[in-house]
Amino acid sequence: MQKLQNSMVAPTRARILALQKGCCAVCGINCLKENKTTTLDHDHETGVVRGVLCNNCNGLEGKVKNSANRAKRDGTYLDWLKRLVAYLEHHSVPRTNLLHPTHKSLEEKRVLKNKRERLKRAAMKKVTK
């Protein structure tokens, strides 16, 4: 393994991003076309460079890993993430006929938004009088 010098980070990031066809390795957004800031992603335990991610995905990857490490009971954070993905895939179709009590339908959200806007306009009317 070769340890990069700081002066080699930018050219290495550009070379790897070119190999990735300008896209973030996780979300697939074209960072070059979208003018997104990118990061040379690496494993914090081993230091091994993995690829280039947009800053959003890089930050989220770290947060997900930290959250998974806190949540895992057995195995590694990757085991926990695999179980999470399997759980979400299993539940991609409704398995119960129940809705959470705080859930609002699109229509309920629209009505609530309109009510808030009406109240806001009424309050502004009072201020201007």
Side-chain angles (χ1 to χ4, degrees):
M1 295 267 175
Q2 173 189 348
K3 188 170 185 175
L4 290 174
Q5 294 186 1
N6 284 334
S7 62
M8 293 303 297
V9 169
T12 302
R13 182 176 59 234
R15 183 176 53 79
I16 293 173
L17 189 59
L19 291 172
Q20 294 175 193
K21 296 180 173 61
C23 297
C24 171
V26 173
C27 71
I29 192 170
N30 190 314
C31 297
L32 299 175
K33 285 184 183 174
E34 299 288 330
N35 200 23
K36 297 285 184 184
T37 308
T38 58
T39 300
L40 187 62
D41 180 53
H42 65 284
D43 184 317
H44 284 251
E45 291 176 23
T46 65
V48 174
V49 171
R50 296 185 285 213
V52 175
L53 304 179
C54 68
N55 281 3
N56 187 43
C57 285
N58 187 61
L60 287 172
E61 181 273 331
K63 288 176 183 169
V64 167
K65 182 178 180 182
N66 290 337
S67 295
N69 277 330
R70 283 195 305 275
K72 70 180 172 72
R73 302 293 184 259
D74 296 320
T76 67
Y77 79 94
L78 288 175
D79 295 330
W80 183 88
L81 285 172
K82 288 174 188 173
R83 289 192 300 269
L84 174 62
V85 168
Y87 173 81
L88 293 173
E89 285 176 341
H90 177 74
H91 290 283
S92 64
V93 295
R95 301 289 176 173
T96 71
N97 63 346
L98 305 171
L99 292 176
H100 193 275
T102 61
H103 175 73
K104 301 240 184 307
S105 68
L106 291 176
E107 177 65 14
E108 290 169 318
K109 290 177 185 178
R110 184 189 65 76
V111 168
L112 187 59
K113 181 180 176 187
N114 288 343
K115 180 181 177 183
R116 286 188 191 128
E117 290 298 320
R118 275 194 312 279
L119 292 172
K120 191 170 152 183
R121 285 191 303 272
M124 291 300 287
K125 257 185 177 177
K126 286 181 183 179
V127 171
T128 58
K129 284 186 178 182

